[in-house]
Amino acid sequence: MHRDEKLLVGTEAPDDAAIYQLDEERALIQTLDFFTPIVDEPFYYGQIAAANALSDVYAMGGKPLTAMNIVCFPCRKLGTEILLEILKGGSDKVTEAGGLLVGGHTINDEEPKYGLAVTGLVHPAHLFTKGGARPGDILILTKPLGAGIITTAHKGDMVSEEILGEMVRWMAALNRDAAEVARQVDAQSCTDITGFGLMGHSYEVLRASRCGAVFYLDRIPLVSGVLDLAEVGLIPGGAKSNREHVKEHVVLSRGIDDLWLDVLCDPQTSGGMLFAVRPEKAAHALELLQSKADTCAAAVGEVTADTAGKIILRKEP
Ligand code: CO
Ligand code: CO
Ligand code: CO
């Protein structure tokens, strides 16, 4: 394969986005994400899909510059009004992120799909990757978990409008403030929690950093009702396959209900950031995050010296 030293992050060590160095001070971030509707309201779907695509720029420590729509839509069947609402939601988030929506492409397709290709900038010396967490670091998560479980429950009409609304607000929230705080406290390792769930993405970080971790279950923020819904079996298929993939790396301490593994493997859509920070800076990070409306941050765990990437789940010591 052709190698180019300007390609700082590419397909060989896949991260949240690709990074291409332009000069001493600037590197280009490129990422693309799209998916099928996860909520009924087209405007919110657009907002969530855009926040999710923008998130990978934040997860690399950058700022979005421009974005382009990627749209698959059955225009004849659903009409253009719905499509316009989706696009409005998307452009709303790009504007909030300080970026510019500069174009896109639409094709006719039976099942709607929407997302963005985003271009951003980062200083090459200040970029976040997954590797770089060190033993003793504190792991901070910036949004509550529950997207897969709650949207699954919603399909079966098993969740209240209040809880669904809470989940939608979190999914539509930008990870901009979380990334800014991660930068302020010199986080060395950072990613966003999406389809592989908290456990899947944590394992990626730990494997890349050649470390392990302990997670304290009482501290993990969850959207209201998530444990109850999981208890009655509203676990999406994606959580099961995520669980299959990480189970050999995760140890449940004695007395921990197996249900927790389903919850921590629940696939998130536009989930929060997970970053590792030196222990002496963790309290300051949480303090800064507390004042931000788009975050609900908690110190959920601690990086350990286990080089095999083992994750231990336990209650507070
Ligand atoms: Co990502
Ligand atoms: Co992505
Ligand atoms: Co594996």
Side-chain angles (χ1 to χ4, degrees), residues 90-153:
S91 92
D92 178 66
K93 279 292 149 183
V94 173
T95 304
E96 187 189 333
L100 291 172
L101 196 60
V102 294
H105 188 70
T106 304
I107 62 161
N108 199 59
D109 193 1
E110 270 307 291
E111 194 179 26
K113 294 161 196 88
Y114 173 65
L116 298 174
V118 188
T119 302
L121 271 186
V122 65
H123 192 294
H126 292 170
L127 73 97
F128 296 142
T129 57
K130 288 175 183 167
R134 289 164 291 176
D137 281 358
I138 302 298
L139 292 166
I140 292 181
L141 175 67
T142 67
K143 283 186 192 178
L145 304 177
I149 289 170
I150 285 177
T151 52
T152 300

Side-chain angles (χ1 to χ4, degrees), residues 16 33 55-56 59 130 191-194 201:
D16 289 297
D33 241 309
S55 176
D56 280 326
K130 288 175 183 167
T191 193
D192 57 346
I193 306 302
T194 53
H201 291 285

Side-chain angles (χ1 to χ4, degrees), residues 178-233:
E180 195 185 297
V181 171
R183 159 73 41 241
Q184 280 175 271
V185 297
D186 300 314
Q188 294 297 313
S189 176
C190 183
T191 193
D192 57 346
I193 306 302
T194 53
F196 298 140
L198 179 63
M199 285 300 102
H201 291 285
S202 296
Y203 179 64
E204 287 181 336
V205 162
L206 297 169
R207 193 186 44 188
S209 304
R210 308 189 122 273
C211 290
V214 179
F215 281 84
Y216 300 109
L217 299 174
D218 336 55
R219 299 195 201 161
I220 295 173
L222 303 174
V223 171
S224 326
V226 165
L227 283 178
D228 297 333
L229 294 167
E231 191 109 41
V232 297

